[in-house]
Amino acid sequence: MLKFFKIIALLEGISLLALFFFAMPMKRLFGHPEFQFPVGMAHGLLFIVYIILAVMLKFEKDWSAKKLAIIAVASIIPFGTFYIEKKYLQNA
């Protein structure tokens, strides 16, 4: 399950960056809101799967509550999931 979580974390991080640096500027700066819904929906679904898998892995890998909180908070920070993969999941 950890390998699947790493893939979801990567996709969630990319979707967050796509939302912040592509879809939102396209809507706000260029007046093209049609990109925001599909990118936002993909990001939302990936975010939910990311959090569910993180909670499942907390019990499977016996993570501390602090580690789970750091992993969860990283999902709302741009580039956060990439940092988590490097710092917490690389040797897991």
Side-chain angles (χ1 to χ4, degrees), residues 4-68:
F4 183 60
F5 180 70
K6 287 180 179 184
I7 293 168
I8 293 297
L10 174 69
L11 294 173
E12 198 277 334
I14 291 169
S15 72
L16 180 63
L17 294 176
L19 187 61
F20 281 164
F21 298 114
F22 174 71
M24 290 173 71
M26 287 300 287
K27 179 181 178 183
R28 305 281 182 205
L29 300 176
F30 303 109
H32 293 285
E34 61 271 8
F35 296 106
Q36 197 160 11
F37 179 77
V39 175
M41 179 63 74
H43 170 67
L45 292 173
L46 287 165
F47 173 76
I48 291 168
V49 172
Y50 177 89
I51 295 298
I52 290 170
L53 287 174
V55 171
M56 290 172 65
L57 279 169
K58 183 229 186 290
F59 295 108
E60 182 180 305
K61 300 288 185 182
D62 198 30
W63 289 345
S64 67
K66 179 182 176 183
K67 184 173 183 176
L68 176 64

